[in-house]
Amino acid sequence: MHISAQNLRDRLRGSLVAAAATPMTAAGEVDLDLVSHYLAGLVADGAGALAVLAHTGRGPYLSPQVRAGVIERAVALGVPVLVGVGGHPGTAGPAAAEATTDQARVAADLGAAGVLVFPSAGDRPALHDAVWRASGLPMIAFDLYTLPCPPEVMAEILTHPGVAGLKTALLSDAMGCQRAIALAREAGRLAITGEDRMFGPSLLWGAEAALVGIAAAAVEVTAAVLDAFRGDDLRAFHEASDRLDRLARVTFTEPMEGYVRRMLWLAAAEGRIPGSHAHDPYGPPLPADEHAQEHAEVVRHRGRVRTADRPGATLTG
């Protein structure tokens, strides 16, 4: 493994990496000052690193100018920043690979600590090598539920010297999650859970860090599980895991891609962003009454919604 990949692996071990959303209006407009405020709040509340422009952040859909602005604002906070690259909708083959490597170069130029490489339908090991050669940034491989990676292909990716770790986000595939964690550990890479619906179990299966969309809000709830896991109080771990799982049940549910909007709703409920920017133009439509139902569950299971220290925050989102 290259020294830069080793350094990123070791730097992220034990960390909560918030897979940040990108607050935007219904028309897809992004206010970069608001992005700065939102990302700073995630860090202040317990995120040790940030993943921007990933699946939760809708990175594949955003313009190069917006992407660059988000990266700059994240890097300015002084924590390790991973940048999602690839996943271009409607693009395949050499054009998609070129666009992915271009994004990686920009991330490197702007000071990112590494890149999270979106799964692709083509030659995945070759894509990782192209990203490495173009940017020199250490990479986190990504096993995502929308396009799961065959185990033998993932095993090959994990031999690349530039790969520091593997994030698994398979949601309902417990055996696939266990296999991915085992592959990462056997290869000496960092096993990173992205399993919002199997968070506690994935830690017990050997994940050593977390990169989760549920930390796009509710950061303290997520961090509490990691903190309890590192301790020796089984009851505390069980209770923290139960709180997180109850929240995940109402945010990570069908239609699954609706979770991005739900997490933005939650961020608005916490006062992290205004309701005007709690939209996901790229996700599925959600039932009209789901917003109110989610808030009721948040208040019930989380115990509190953080509004007191954010003037003007409301539960209306």
Side-chain angles (χ1 to χ4, degrees), residues 60 70 124 149 191 268 293 297 313 316:
V70 170
R124 299 191 195 193
C149 189
Q293 292 174 357
E297 292 293 337
T316 61

Side-chain angles (χ1 to χ4, degrees), residues 29-188:
E29 298 164 336
V30 176
D31 180 337
L32 291 175
D33 289 337
L34 175 59
V35 169
S36 291
H37 175 77
Y38 163 67
L39 295 178
L42 299 182
V43 173
D45 289 342
L50 295 169
V52 298
L53 305 173
H55 191 233
T56 306
R58 294 304 193 211
Y61 299 95
L62 302 181
S63 71
Q65 293 77 17
V66 169
R67 286 179 57 90
V70 170
I71 297 169
E72 288 173 340
R73 300 305 178 98
V75 169
L77 295 173
V79 297
V81 174
L82 304 176
V83 176
V85 297
H88 310 282
T91 308
E98 182 177 359
T100 302
T101 56
D102 286 346
Q103 289 179 345
R105 287 191 195 94
V106 171
D109 291 343
L110 295 176
V115 289
L116 179 70
V117 183
F118 271 78
S120 65
D123 187 334
R124 299 191 195 193
L127 178 62
H128 283 75
D129 190 58
V131 167
W132 172 251
R133 293 179 181 279
S135 69
L137 282 178
M139 299 171 287
I140 304 297
F142 194 4
D143 202 1
L144 182 62
Y145 69 95
T146 58
L147 194 62
C149 189
E152 63 277 8
V153 176
M154 184 56 71
E156 182 180 353
I157 291 171
L158 290 169
T159 66
H160 193 285
V163 171
L166 164 62
K167 166 188 161 77
T168 172
L170 299 175
L171 288 178
S172 61
D173 184 356
M175 291 189 293
C177 175
Q178 290 173 321
R179 181 172 56 241
I181 289 170
L183 284 172
R185 291 178 67 101
E186 288 166 6

Side-chain angles (χ1 to χ4, degrees), residues 3 13 24 29 57 59 141 154 180 182 192 194 207 253 265 267 271 292 297 314:
I3 186 63
R13 183 173 282 118
M24 63 183 75
E29 298 164 336
M154 184 56 71
I192 306 171
T253 186
W265 282 344
E297 292 293 337
T314 71

Side-chain angles (χ1 to χ4, degrees), residues 184-274:
R185 291 178 67 101
E186 288 166 6
R189 269 61 176 180
L190 187 66
I192 306 171
T193 181
E195 302 293 357
D196 306 86
R197 291 300 301 267
M198 299 186 288
F199 191 83
S202 64
L203 296 175
L204 294 170
W205 295 334
E208 302 170 281
L211 197 171
V212 282
I214 203 164
V219 187
E220 308 100 319
V221 177
T222 313
V225 183
L226 284 173
D227 290 342
F229 182 71
R230 286 191 287 262
D232 56 5
D233 187 339
L234 179 60
R235 183 180 182 87
F237 176 64
H238 177 270
E239 291 176 349
S241 296
D242 184 60
R243 284 193 298 272
L244 181 66
D245 189 55
R246 287 173 182 269
L247 183 58
R249 289 177 199 174
V250 296
T251 48
F252 287 78
T253 186
E254 298 296 339
M256 194 57 68
E257 282 297 287
Y259 88 86
V260 174
R261 181 81 190 276
R262 298 182 191 109
M263 290 310 304
L264 286 163
W265 282 344
L266 179 53
E270 292 182 311
R272 299 180 186 278
I273 61 174

